[in-house]
């Protein structure tokens, strides 16, 4: 679930801190005990029968009302059949994270188990075997929680996220594995197989892939449309969904919030046909939270909920995640749809059979809960899972720079500074950490002596009008009030953490708690362990005024929404001394007393140390996350200044960047001896970091996405055409800061000459490639050997290089191991838009083998005996969406149910390349729709090339009302690129050129 809480003022909605103990008390008794006879007599409870037979039996026993009740996220118990409640959607992105409680109005309940590194960190491991182990551990812990409270902890897990990291500014970058579809698909497959277990007929848990699809922007995410041409959809966005589903590593998809080619993804026809064609298994598909209401409200795609819900079911989505725990709204809408003939009972039966199929495979109706029913809460945060989390945290770290062997560190005097040096943060899809080993903790275990400083300013804020200082409470905190008259009072002191672009958080020196808005009121308190919640309310800006004083601006996320008063974003001291929100004109002025300088403290700590470790990075609830894209990839300004000061004071400086996304480290790359990246990697971060810094392990992580030098190297975040806009390492022609697949080691590797089983392969054939890899250094290490291809000739624009396989090998010093790859010629297929099918072209393929996409060590060629794509035949109906190039065109929905069309505007055009027009082509016939009359010109070989004819497009009255129109052409012939040039707004679904 992406957004469980819609009402920001509901009690308990401030943070995900409801304890498990309290949750258990709230829901007791946990389940309704079914009579023994009900559990034993029905065929659907017989494990000896097939899944389909059991589903058919149970479906046949349900009344229509009972079937409808199962379509909501909270599926009620059916006592007469001995069936308990079932809840979809426990979040388990990188560990069991949280779920919601039906007995407490859907309040969030947070797990306190094993938190593995963020997904982008797991992507940096390039290690499917590790991902499978992690998935298995997550599945075990989900079972453990479920055994204690099945009403809260459902076994359908909403993970992994397989949306591709095509733009590093995407707020949810932390949730995905990679910008590459193959790497993402293979890691998701491994994670899913681990969560499911190894029994093909019985599920430990049921993973659901998020979010289908082309969902890479948070900007107006429920209103923006991802314009997705067929080649991009087939060769890029669909791939990471297709791989795990086709390999039975997922049991369904969650549809995304955005529109795809003008149609809400909530009603994508792919959910009912394409996605289900990838597997013989039954899939159980769900909506994202609140999305059914979006198609009526923000998207205004259907006039009412009955129409919208009917369309969702018809499209192939089986379960409605909406309206929190109130299932009656969905139930009534479905009943309304049935009464109006928008749905048939067979539509409901189809969706419910999908749901029941997964419930049967989960063992719900088996004696004792089936094969995995004996897993208990004892597995949560077990020693084995802690060890696995520690191994994962180390393996995902990426060494970005190591000049003159600055790393590993010696065990001498080490200074550890920076605002992330002595803390660990969780993210929106994390559980709570059961314990914490911070970077400082880990380094203290390994170094002989350690000095430290967080490198943050400690300040006091004095109300200029009264001379009194803002103060927080001790203990668990209290509402902030002015009172002390001296800055030396500890309650008046706050540590300032800089998160960039002026945004800071304030941590009270009195109790170590973060300051934030208190209980959605107008006051503030120091009562939070870290910034948190959907609407993060712990953010401020200190705005310096001309007189040297400051205004304190409140920057909580809720202020971005229309229901919040945008004018009251400043702080005023009320008559009783409390801090309240007001307008800028009414804001109090504060004098800022700097009790201690963070930079001075850090410089003092690093002076004289053998080495300085600066730990900087992000706060996952602030620096880009769900619902909030980033506009910059830079480090926070204050953090950058700290690095520069430390580097000046100690030349042996190592920068550790702990965040969830690529960062522009241009100065650091030029001036700092060593740089190491880690995601927010869970409780074992400090131990894992120390093991890498001190050389107990050699770093082996590789970047799963391109790190750019600046956001100026990127197109608009809403541009989804990676081919035309040269996105990702596949097409990017510039010089990145760090390329895809990049990562250094403490040892060196020599790649030998590759051997191919054959240097020529047919389009249905397979070739194996082996490469000897020798460790030429003095330390053992793991190397990710990467195989890329480049197709030399093609009908279409090809990637500069494309990852085809990888092999992570362990090599002892002086030893040689063999990396092995299998390459099916079918893997080289492109989506041929001229014939709507996968095609392996005849061409030479460069096989590029290296340590990253830019560090190619060996090269050979493969002759692929594919086919030549014939010239386009435009005499048959051609879909307008199957263009070869375009300018100013948007892909749109042909109808609300299915099909894509194009929407043109003045001076926009479509290109259809390599068309064989024969000896004479005299007419064009087109299907058009629109509200105003315009023209479409037919031109040859260029948008301003020879005019062959003009279509006079009438107003059809509605964008979904198409009319067939025809125009004469000036007897064009031969081979040409055909351009359709639009002179106004209209929609074109298909056309043909005939004699």
């Amino acid at each position: 679930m992406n957004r469980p809480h819609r009402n920001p003022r509901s009690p308990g909605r401030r943070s995900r801190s409801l304890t498990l103990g309290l949750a258990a008390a709230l829901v007791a008794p946990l389940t309704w005990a079914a009579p023994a006879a009900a559990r034993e007599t029905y065929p659907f409870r017989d494990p000896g029968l097939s899944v389909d037979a059991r589903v058919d039996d149970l479906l046949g026993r349900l009344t229509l009302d009972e079937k409808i009740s199962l379509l909501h996220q909270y599926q009620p118990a059916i006592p007469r059949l001995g069936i308990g409640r079932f809840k979809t959607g426990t979040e388990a992105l990188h560990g069991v994270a949280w779920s919601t409680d039906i007995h407490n109005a859907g309040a969030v309940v947070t797990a306190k188990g094993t938190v593995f590194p963020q997904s982008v960190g797991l992507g940096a491991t390039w290690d499917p075997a590790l991902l499978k182990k992690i998935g298995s551990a997550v599945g075990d812990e989900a079972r453990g929680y479920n055994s204690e409270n099945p009403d809260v902890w459902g076994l359908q897990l909403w993970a992994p996220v397989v949306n591709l990291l095509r733009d590093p500014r995407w707020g949810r970058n932390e949730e995905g594995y990679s910008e590459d579809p193959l790497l993402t698909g293979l890691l998701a497959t491994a994670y899913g197989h681990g969560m499911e277990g190894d029994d093909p007929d019985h599920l430990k848990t049921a993973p659901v892939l998020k979010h289908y699809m082309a969902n890479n922007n948070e900007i107006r995410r429920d209103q923006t449309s991802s314009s997705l041409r067929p080649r991009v959809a087939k060769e890029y966005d669909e791939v990471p969904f297709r791989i795990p589903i086709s390999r039975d590593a997922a049991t369904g998809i969650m549809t995304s919030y955005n529109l795809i080619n003008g149609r809400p993804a909530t009603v994508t026809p792919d959910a009912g046909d394409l996605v289900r064609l990838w597997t013989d298994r039954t899939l159980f598909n769900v909506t994202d939270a609140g999305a059914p209401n979006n198609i009526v409200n923000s998207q205004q795609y259907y006039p009412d909920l009955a129409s919208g819900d009917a369309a969702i079911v018809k499209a192939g989505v089986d379960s409605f995640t909406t309206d929190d725990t109130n299932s009656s709204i969905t139930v009534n809408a479905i009943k309304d749809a049935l009464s109006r003939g928008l749905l048939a009972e067979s539509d409901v039966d189809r969706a419910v059979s999908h749901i029941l199929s997964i419930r049967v495979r989960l063992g719900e109706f088996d004696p004792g809960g089936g094969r995995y029913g004996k897993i208990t809460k004892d597995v949560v945060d077990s020693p084995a899972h802690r060890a696995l989390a520690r191994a994962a945290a180390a393996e995902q770290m990426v060494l970005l720079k190591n000049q003159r062997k600055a790393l590993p560190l010696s065990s001498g005097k080490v200074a550890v500074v920076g605002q992330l040096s002595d803390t660990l943060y969780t993210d929106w899809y994390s559980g709570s950490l059961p314990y914490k080993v911070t970077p400082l903790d880990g380094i203290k275990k390994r170094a002989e002596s350690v000095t430290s400083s967080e490198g943050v300013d400690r300040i006091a804020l004095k109300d200029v009008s009264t001379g009194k200082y803002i103060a927080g409470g001790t203990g668990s905190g209290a509402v902030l009030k002015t009172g002390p008259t001296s800055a030396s009072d500890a309650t008046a002191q706050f540590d300032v953490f800089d998160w960039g672009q002026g945004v800071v958080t304030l941590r009270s020196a009195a109790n170590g708690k973060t300051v934030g808005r208190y209980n959605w009121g107008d006051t503030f308190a120091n009562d939070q362990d870290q910034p948190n919640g959907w609407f993060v309310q712990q953010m401020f800006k200190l705005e310096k005024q001309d007189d040297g004083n400051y205004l304190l601006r409140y920057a909580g996320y809720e202020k971005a929404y229309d229901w919040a008063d945008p004018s009251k974003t400043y702080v005023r001291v009320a008559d009783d001394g409390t801090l309240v929100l007001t307008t800028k004109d009414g804001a109090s002025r504060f004098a800022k007393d700097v009790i201690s300088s963070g930079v001075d403290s850090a410089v003092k700590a690093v002076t004289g140390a053998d080495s300085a470790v600066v730990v900087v990075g992000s706060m996952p609830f602030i620096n880009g996350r769900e619902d909030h894209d980033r506009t910059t990839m830079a480090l926070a300004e204050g953090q950058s200044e700290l690095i520069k000061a430390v580097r000046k004071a100690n030349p042996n400086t190592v920068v550790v960047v702990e965040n969830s996304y690529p960062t522009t480290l241009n100065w650091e790359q030029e001036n700092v001896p060593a740089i190491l990246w880690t995601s927010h990697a869970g409780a074992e971060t400090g131990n894992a970091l120390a093991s890498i810094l001190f050389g107990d392990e050699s770093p082996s992580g590789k970047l799963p996405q391109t790190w750019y030098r600046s956001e100026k190297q990127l197109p608009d975040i809403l541009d989804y055409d990676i081919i035309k806009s040269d996105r990702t390492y596949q097409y990017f022609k510039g010089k990145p800061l760090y390329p895809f697949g990049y990562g250094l080691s403490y040892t060196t590797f020599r790649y030998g000459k590759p051997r191919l089983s054959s240097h020529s392969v047919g389009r249905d054939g397979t070739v194996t490639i082996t490469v000897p890899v020798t460790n030429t250094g003095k330390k053992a290490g793991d190397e990710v050997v990467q195989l890329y291809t480049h197709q030399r000739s093609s009908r279409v624009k090809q990637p500069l290089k494309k990852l085809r396989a990888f092999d992570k090998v362990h090599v002892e010093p002086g030893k040689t191991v063999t990396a092995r790859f299998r390459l099916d010629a079918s893997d080289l297929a492109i989506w041929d838009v001229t014939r709507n099918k996968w095609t392996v072209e005849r061409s030479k393929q460069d096989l590029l083998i290296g340590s990253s996409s830019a560090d190619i060590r060996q090269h050979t060629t493969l002759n692929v005996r594919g086919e030549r794509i014939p010239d386009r035949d435009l005499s048959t109906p051609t879909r307008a969406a199957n263009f070869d190039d375009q300018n100013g065109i948007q892909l749109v929905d042909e109808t609300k149910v299915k099909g894509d069309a194009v929407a043109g505007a003045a001076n926009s055009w479509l290109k259809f390349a390599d068309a064989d027009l024969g000896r004479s082509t005299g007419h064009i016939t087109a299907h058009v729709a629109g509200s105003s009359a315009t023209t479409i010109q037919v031109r040859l070989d260029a948008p301003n090339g020879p005019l062959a004819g003009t279509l006079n497009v009438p107003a059809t009255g509605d964008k979904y009302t198409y009319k067939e129109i025809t125009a004469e052409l000036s007897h064009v012939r031969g081979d040409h690129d055909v351009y359709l040039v639009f002179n106004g707004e209209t929609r074109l679904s298909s056309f043909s050129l005939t004699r």
Side-chain angles (χ1 to χ4, degrees):
M1 182 189 300
N2 287 322
R3 189 173 171 185
H5 301 320
R6 292 294 171 175
N7 179 1
R9 295 181 176 82
S10 295
R13 299 290 168 92
R14 189 158 185 253
S15 68
R16 295 186 286 115
S17 59
L18 184 65
T19 66
L20 292 176
L22 175 59
L26 289 170
V27 301
L30 299 179
T31 57
W32 179 83
R39 292 197 302 268
E40 298 171 359
T41 56
Y42 297 126
F44 71 82
R45 295 191 177 276
D46 182 357
L49 296 178
S50 69
V51 172
D52 288 347
R54 297 172 73 181
V55 169
D56 288 345
D57 175 70
L58 178 51
L59 186 66
R61 296 179 188 279
L62 298 175
T63 67
L64 179 58
D65 283 350
E66 289 169 339
K67 288 184 285 191
I68 294 172
S69 75
L70 300 181
L71 298 179
H72 190 262
Q73 178 187 16
Y74 291 93
Q75 300 175 27
I78 303 176
R80 69 182 186 86
L81 295 176
I83 296 174
R85 292 187 186 92
F86 183 89
K87 177 193 170 295
T88 69
T90 295
E91 298 290 357
L93 186 59
H94 52 110
V96 179
W98 50 271
S99 190
T100 51
D101 184 3
I102 190 173
H103 301 285
N104 191 26
V108 171
V109 184
T110 304
K112 195 171 187 178
T114 309
V115 177
F116 293 95
Q118 291 177 302
S119 294
V120 67
L122 296 177
T125 69
W126 290 60
D127 191 343
L130 175 67
L131 268 287
K132 185 176 181 182
K133 292 177 183 177
I134 292 172
S136 182
V138 173
D140 286 344
E141 295 202 4
R143 277 281 176 176
Y145 280 113
N146 177 264
S147 71
E148 182 181 76
N149 191 341
D151 281 359
V152 170
W153 302 102
L155 294 175
Q156 188 198 56
L157 305 185
W158 286 350
V161 169
V162 296
N163 297 109
L164 296 165
L165 307 183
R166 68 178 180 92
D167 193 310
R169 295 167 297 188
W170 183 35
R172 303 183 76 167
N173 196 86
E174 64 194 28
E175 297 182 36
Y177 292 125
S178 173
E179 71 183 48
D180 182 76
L182 176 67
L183 178 57
T184 297
L186 293 179
L187 293 178
T189 296
Y191 191 68
H193 275 150
M195 287 194 290
E196 287 183 344
D198 293 324
D199 186 331
D201 296 317
H202 300 86
L203 295 169
K204 183 191 298 184
T205 62
V208 172
L209 304 178
K210 302 196 304 186
H211 314 80
Y212 194 88
M213 68 176 179
N215 175 205
N216 286 128
N217 65 276
E218 302 302 294
I219 302 168
R220 303 181 307 280
R221 59 181 179 169
D222 60 331
Q223 298 172 55
T224 57
S225 178
S226 303
S227 192
L228 215 60
R229 63 195 280 193
R231 272 196 68 203
V232 175
K234 297 295 182 184
E235 297 176 22
Y236 192 67
D237 286 280
E238 288 176 10
V239 175
F241 290 91
R242 186 177 74 241
I243 291 175
I245 289 176
S246 65
R247 300 184 185 194
D248 294 329
T251 61
I253 61 167
M254 172 188 283
T255 54
S256 53
Y257 284 124
N258 57 294
L259 297 89
I260 304 169
N261 295 350
R263 182 181 297 108
T266 309
V267 289
T268 175
D270 289 358
D273 46 47
L274 177 65
V275 172
R276 297 185 190 273
L277 292 175
W278 293 335
T279 179
D280 293 331
R281 291 283 190 180
T282 298
L283 300 178
F284 172 7
N285 299 330
V286 303
T287 74
D288 209 335
N293 291 341
N294 288 346
I295 62 175
V296 175
N297 298 327
S298 62
Q299 293 165 344
Q300 297 184 352
Y301 202 72
Y302 284 99
D304 53 61
L305 205 55
S307 302
D309 285 6
I312 292 171
V313 173
K314 288 276 193 181
V317 180
D318 308 309
S319 179
F320 292 77
T321 313
T322 188
D323 302 306
D324 294 327
T325 61
N326 185 2
S327 62
S328 66
I329 297 174
T330 295
V331 167
N332 291 335
I334 294 295
K335 288 181 177 179
D336 188 13
L338 287 165
S339 69
R340 290 162 56 183
L342 302 174
L343 281 177
E345 185 171 356
S346 59
D347 296 315
V348 175
D349 286 352
R350 183 179 60 254
V352 173
S353 70
H354 297 158
I355 295 168
L356 296 179
S357 178
I358 300 304
R359 291 180 66 170
V360 167
R361 292 180 65 198
L362 284 168
E364 178 182 347
F365 309 124
D366 291 358
R371 174 172 178 176
Y372 301 103
K374 294 181 180 180
I375 298 175
T376 67
K377 186 77 177 297
D378 294 339
V379 301
V380 175
D381 190 34
S382 67
H385 290 178
R386 289 189 176 194
L388 182 61
R390 189 215 166 285
E395 192 171 341
Q396 54 92 50
M397 293 181 181
V398 183
L399 183 60
L400 299 174
K401 183 181 181 183
N402 194 20
Q403 185 179 37
R404 295 191 297 273
K405 297 184 179 179
L407 291 174
L409 300 176
S410 63
S411 298
K413 182 179 180 181
V414 180
V416 185
V417 301
Q419 67 182 50
L420 277 80
S421 62
D422 196 25
T423 190
L424 295 179
Y425 291 121
T426 55
D427 62 35
W428 179 251
Y429 287 104
S430 294
S432 296
L433 300 178
Y435 63 98
K436 295 181 180 180
V437 183
T438 69
L440 178 60
D441 294 333
I443 292 171
K444 280 182 174 180
K445 296 177 183 179
R446 291 290 282 103
E448 292 176 5
S449 66
V450 174
T451 56
S452 65
S453 167
E454 289 180 298
V456 298
D457 289 345
R458 177 163 288 187
I459 67 169
L461 294 173
K462 180 174 65 177
D463 178 9
V464 173
S465 65
T466 65
K468 295 181 179 180
Y469 287 86
I470 298 172
T474 59
S476 61
V479 171
L480 267 60
K481 298 181 68 173
T482 57
T485 57
S486 171
S488 63
D489 190 320
T491 63
Q493 297 176 8
F494 299 90
D495 297 323
V496 183
F497 288 76
D498 178 11
W499 302 115
Q501 298 179 288
V503 173
V504 300
T505 53
L506 303 174
R507 186 184 65 191
S508 171
N511 65 352
K513 300 282 189 178
T514 301
V515 173
R517 191 174 177 185
Y518 182 67
N519 201 28
W520 284 96
D522 286 336
T523 56
F524 297 87
N526 59 323
D527 63 345
Q528 296 298 303
D529 290 333
Q530 69 167 52
N532 63 81
W534 181 262
F535 300 106
V536 182
Q537 298 180 83
Q538 293 84 33
M539 300 187 295
F540 298 89
K541 292 185 177 183
L542 287 164
E543 297 181 349
K544 192 171 185 177
Q545 304 301 296
D546 292 340
D547 62 1
N549 292 316
Y550 289 81
L551 301 184
L552 183 59
R553 181 176 178 179
Y554 170 66
Y557 272 158
E558 80 277 6
K559 289 298 182 180
Y561 293 84
D562 54 10
W563 47 262
D565 186 347
S567 65
K568 291 186 177 182
T569 56
Y570 287 84
V571 172
R572 176 178 65 85
V573 178
D575 292 341
D576 63 356
T578 58
L579 308 182
V580 297
L581 289 175
T582 186
T583 63
K584 184 174 183 178
D585 290 342
S588 296
R589 289 179 178 260
F590 297 96
K592 184 178 77 170
D593 294 353
V594 179
I595 310 302
S596 61
S597 162
V599 169
D600 291 349
S601 174
V603 167
K604 181 179 179 181
V606 305
T607 300
D610 296 325
S611 55
V613 178
V614 190
V615 189
V616 296
S618 71
M619 200 289 130
F621 277 77
I622 294 174
N623 295 110
R625 50 153 283 190
E626 184 174 355
D627 208 33
H628 296 276
D629 291 319
R630 293 181 300 129
T631 57
T632 177
M633 294 185 290
L635 276 175
E637 297 84 354
Q639 295 185 41
S640 293
E641 291 305 312
L642 179 69
I643 293 172
K644 292 174 181 177
V646 170
R647 173 64 180 84
K648 184 177 180 180
N650 190 319
N652 301 319
T653 295
V654 176
V655 171
V656 176
V657 182
E658 184 180 351
N659 64 15
S660 317
Y661 43 75
T663 306
T664 49
L665 301 172
N666 297 303
W667 186 92
E668 290 77 9
Q669 176 61 25
E670 290 294 325
N671 295 280
V672 174
I675 307 172
L676 183 76
W677 174 82
T678 175
S679 74
H680 294 278
E684 288 287 336
T685 299
N687 286 332
L689 178 62
S691 72
I692 296 294
L693 291 178
F694 288 95
D696 301 333
E697 300 176 59
S698 181
S700 64
K702 300 284 188 176
L703 293 179
Q705 61 187 133
T706 305
W707 284 42
Y708 298 93
R709 295 179 179 274
S710 166
E711 51 269 13
K712 293 179 181 178
Q713 291 183 308
L714 293 167
D716 189 281
I717 195 172
L718 298 177
D719 186 344
Y720 278 78
D721 190 343
I722 69 162
I723 299 174
K724 186 174 180 64
S725 62
D726 293 332
R727 273 191 186 272
T728 80
Y729 79 93
Q730 292 188 30
Y731 296 96
F732 181 62
K733 297 174 183 175
K735 185 178 181 181
L737 179 62
Y738 305 116
F740 173 78
Y742 173 82
L744 303 177
S745 173
Y746 290 156
T747 190
T748 53
F749 301 96
R750 183 178 67 242
Y751 286 43
K753 184 177 180 180
R755 293 180 178 271
L756 278 62
S757 59
S758 174
H759 283 274
S760 181
V761 65
R763 59 186 176 184
D764 296 321
T766 297
V767 62
T768 58
I769 304 107
T770 58
V771 184
V773 179
T774 302
N775 185 338
T776 55
K778 296 181 180 180
K779 291 182 69 70
D782 292 347
E783 172 72 336
V784 180
V785 186
Q786 302 163 39
L787 171 66
Y788 298 86
T789 66
H790 170 69
Q791 185 169 319
R792 292 186 181 179
S793 59
S794 176
R795 180 190 174 276
V796 297
K797 180 179 178 180
Q798 283 285 339
L800 302 172
K801 58 177 66 76
K802 188 170 184 177
L803 183 71
R804 297 299 185 179
F806 57 91
D807 190 7
K808 191 165 191 173
V809 295
H810 179 79
V811 196
E812 293 293 325
K815 301 295 184 181
T816 299
V817 300
T818 300
R820 302 178 185 277
F821 308 105
R822 172 192 169 106
L823 182 62
D824 294 331
S826 58
D827 294 338
L828 305 173
I830 65 167
W831 184 255
D832 176 15
V833 294
T834 72
R835 296 175 295 174
N836 285 305
K837 70 172 188 175
W838 289 103
T839 301
V840 177
E841 288 186 291
R842 181 172 69 243
S843 178
K844 292 280 188 182
Q845 291 275 354
D846 292 317
L847 303 187
L848 311 170
I849 301 165
S851 187
S852 81
S853 61
D855 183 8
I856 302 302
R857 307 285 183 86
Q858 291 290 342
H859 170 276
T860 187
T861 58
L862 177 68
N863 181 43
V864 179
R865 304 188 306 275
E867 65 172 314
R868 177 190 174 275
I869 297 176
D871 291 342
R872 271 190 184 269
D873 180 5
L874 297 182
S875 66
T876 60
T878 298
R879 302 295 302 175
N882 284 334
F883 53 80
D884 289 297
D885 196 6
Q886 59 84 21
N887 181 67
I889 292 291
Q890 289 293 316
L891 284 151
V892 294
D893 50 338
E894 182 179 18
T895 73
K896 289 189 174 184
V897 176
K898 64 180 180 179
D900 294 333
V902 301
N907 301 316
S908 61
W909 51 258
L910 296 170
K911 175 184 178 181
F912 298 86
D914 306 320
D916 179 2
L917 303 181
R919 294 183 177 180
S920 178
T921 299
H923 297 85
I924 179 172
T925 301
H927 290 84
V928 297
S931 58
S932 59
T934 185
T935 62
I936 299 175
Q937 295 178 338
V938 182
R939 292 185 177 271
L940 303 181
D941 301 324
N944 58 353
L947 179 64
T950 300
L951 281 163
N952 292 309
V953 180
T956 66
D958 181 83
K959 63 184 179 181
Y960 297 122
T961 301
Y962 284 85
K963 182 176 181 179
E964 182 177 289
I965 60 173
T966 301
E968 291 188 1
L969 301 178
S970 56
H971 302 290
V972 296
R973 61 180 62 83
D975 293 340
H976 293 276
D977 295 339
V978 174
Y979 285 79
L980 302 182
V981 182
F982 293 74
N983 293 313
E985 294 185 2
T986 193
R987 291 189 173 203
L988 173 67
S989 64
S990 63
F991 72 97
S992 59
L993 304 182
T994 59
R995 292 183 182 180

